[in-house]
Amino acid sequence: MILTGAKIATMQAGTPYGLIEDGAMILSGGRIDWVGPRSELPATSGHERLDLGGRLITPALIDCHTHLVHGGNRAVEFEMRLNGASYEKIARAGGGILSTVTATRAANVEGLVATALPRLDALLAEGVGTVEIKSGYGLTIEAELTMLRAARRLARLRPVRIVTTYLGAHAVPPDYKGRAEDYLTEVCLPALHAAHAEGLVDQVDGFCEGIAFSPAHMARVFEAAKALNLPVKLHAEQLSHLGGTQLACQHNALSADHVEYATEADARAMAQSGTVAVLLPGAFYTLRETQLPPIAAFRAHGVPMAIATDLNPGTSPLNSLLLTLNMACTLFRLTPEEALRGATQHAARALGLSDCGTIAPGLRADLAIWNVEHPAELSYRIGFNPLYRRIFQGDL
Ligand code: DI6
Ligand code: FE
């Protein structure tokens, strides 16, 4: 297929957005064959041609941090909080992560897939081509495997690339309260091995926070991941500075995520290890957090910044990557170019993917075509979806 008459944000280095004002592309076999100015389009025959009338083409968006598969929702505790209930009262009433754990354990693969599909479809409708999906609401061996099986099945039901992440180190379940080490030994690490043996897991994550797991706990999980040759990432410095980011860098993590409380020294370590900062404005917004991530330090040290929805039923029930672009600019002061790069090129890097996230010959033909005149419109609007077409592996 030949696409002509388009502005093309290649996201290649050199110019803002890598923009080609009057561009053309040749797609074949699910890959990009050629991209460049329409005036330089090579002579070809037998290709279907599609003139895009000046519309914008970007790489398909990538949501590199989601908890999209989960049971139940937390709307009632949202209402309780707004009626003045404390987190303690909500927790005592069975709220918080553990209420989602209960609902997730009660669901089978079919049930998890059924509730996940509308959330996934909403992302695809916004031009998303790749979605990362974590486990972490099962917290038993079987329930963690069920979550990951559901995530894998979604990729068979929709034209989307799913990257799965094992997040057994998300919370200590009630029956292991105060016994995190035993939970790691008896559930979390055995579940990781079982998931890997079944081909269910692409990377490994953890929640390094006072209310979850310590850096020492996460070191055990990372050692197990390394032994299975699985890349790692970490929810780090979200609510406090515990040292998770430094630990992630010591393990050459693909990314450190949230990082509101990361420091200049953490940014320097991330630059040295090539670890991406995944910014999650949806959780910052929902929790009404006031501590901004160290954006200036990330810029100064050349730390790539990705952005993602962190779609989860508690701290970020945010089901729109376009709104996330706007939040990244308005709340975190990213430029529109940084935000779009954060949901394309840098998001691919946060997932260890080198065949997508920019537009260049040889890369996957995962594209989004937009009814906009300038790329900045994608992060400027609040709650508006200008998608014209999504192309996945070369298919309209
Ligand atoms: N950080 C978060 O904000 C979520 N998980 C995590 O590691 C919370 C998930 C939830 O509240 O259900
Ligand atoms: Fe998360």
Side-chain angles (χ1 to χ4, degrees):
M1 180 191 304
I2 294 177
L3 305 175
T4 60
K7 286 193 181 95
I8 304 175
T10 66
M11 304 315 289
Q12 293 292 335
T15 57
Y17 305 99
L19 198 64
I20 301 173
E21 279 295 340
D22 179 7
M25 295 178 67
I26 302 174
L27 314 181
S28 62
R31 294 279 165 171
I32 299 164
D33 255 1
W34 183 89
V35 56
R38 176 161 40 170
S39 58
E40 298 172 19
L41 179 62
T44 56
S45 61
H47 285 72
E48 179 192 355
R49 290 175 84 97
L50 179 63
D51 185 281
L52 292 175
R55 293 182 173 89
L56 174 71
I57 302 176
T58 69
L61 303 184
I62 298 170
D63 196 351
C64 68
H65 181 134
T66 89
H67 307 253
L68 184 140
V69 167
H70 58 263
N73 70 66
R74 306 246 284 277
V76 170
E77 75 176 60
F78 176 71
E79 185 171 53
M80 285 171 71
R81 260 204 328 269
L82 289 162
N83 281 312
S86 69
Y87 270 101
E88 292 71 320
K89 182 178 176 190
I90 291 169
R92 275 198 306 275
I97 287 185
L98 297 184
S99 82
T100 301
V101 170
T102 303
T104 303
R105 286 177 175 176
N108 59 15
V109 173
E110 292 71 21
L112 292 177
V113 165
T115 54
L117 277 172
R119 298 191 279 263
L120 180 61
D121 288 339
L123 292 178
L124 302 189
E126 289 191 344
V128 174
T130 299
V131 179
E132 183 259 13
I133 301 177
K134 305 175 190 291
S135 67
Y137 286 116
L139 308 186
T140 64
I141 295 174
E142 194 49 38
E144 286 293 305
L145 296 181
T146 300
M147 289 192 73
L148 293 168
R149 289 176 188 135
R152 281 279 193 253
R153 188 171 302 181
L154 291 170
R156 298 197 290 271
L157 295 171
R158 291 292 188 274
V160 65
R161 185 182 200 178
I162 300 287
V163 176
T164 60
T165 300
Y166 177 71
L167 179 60
H170 191 198
V172 178
D175 48 335
Y176 281 89
K177 186 172 173 56
R179 298 191 298 125
E181 289 290 354
D182 292 343
Y183 168 70
L184 293 178
T185 304
E186 297 166 17
V187 179
C188 182
L189 298 182
L192 170 56
H193 284 92
H196 178 262
E198 197 174 317
L200 295 174
V201 57
D202 298 320
Q203 42 200 329
V204 178
D205 191 355
F207 185 23
C208 187
E209 195 57 63
I211 56 171
F213 295 90
S214 70
H217 292 145
M218 286 316 311
R220 283 187 64 190
V221 177
F222 284 177
E223 287 306 324
K226 194 183 299 181
L228 296 172
N229 201 26
L230 291 172
V232 299
K233 52 184 53 239
L234 190 64
H235 288 63
E237 271 66 70
Q238 177 185 358
L239 307 173
S240 66
H241 190 274
L242 214 57
T245 304
Q246 292 290 341
L247 178 87
C249 295
Q250 287 154 23
H251 286 80
N252 296 309
L254 291 172
S255 69
D257 299 39
H258 287 285
V259 288
E260 277 89 340
Y261 287 83
T263 62
E264 170 102 28
D266 294 331
R268 198 177 304 115
M270 292 171 78
Q272 284 159 2
S273 60
T275 299
V276 175
V278 176
L279 307 177
L280 304 169
F284 178 93
Y285 167 83
T286 303
L287 295 174
R288 301 169 67 220
E289 175 61 66
T290 56
Q291 173 67 36
L292 286 168
I295 304 296
F298 291 144
R299 287 184 179 130
H301 292 282
V303 175
M305 294 184 283
I307 64 166
T309 60
D310 191 18
L311 174 53
N312 77 68
T315 63
S316 189
L318 171 60
N319 210 136
S320 166
L321 192 50
L322 287 174
L323 180 51
T324 306
L325 286 171
N326 174 265
M327 286 179 163
C329 295
T330 299
L331 297 177
F332 291 172
R333 318 312 292 160
L334 265 61
T335 66
E337 206 259 2
E338 286 174 322
L340 182 56
R341 195 173 297 281
T344 53
Q345 181 189 23
H346 291 164
R349 184 164 165 179
L351 297 178
L353 301 176
S354 57
D355 62 353
C356 63
T358 62
I359 294 177
L363 296 193
R364 287 166 62 106
D366 293 349
L367 305 166
I369 305 168
W370 307 94
N371 287 314
V372 301
E373 299 194 352
H374 192 285
E377 292 180 63
L378 297 179
S379 51
Y380 156 71
R381 287 201 175 89
I382 304 172
F384 179 76
N385 178 6
L387 185 74
Y388 172 70
R389 286 280 195 291
R390 187 183 78 109
I391 293 180
F392 182 71
Q393 290 199 292
D395 291 334
L396 264 171

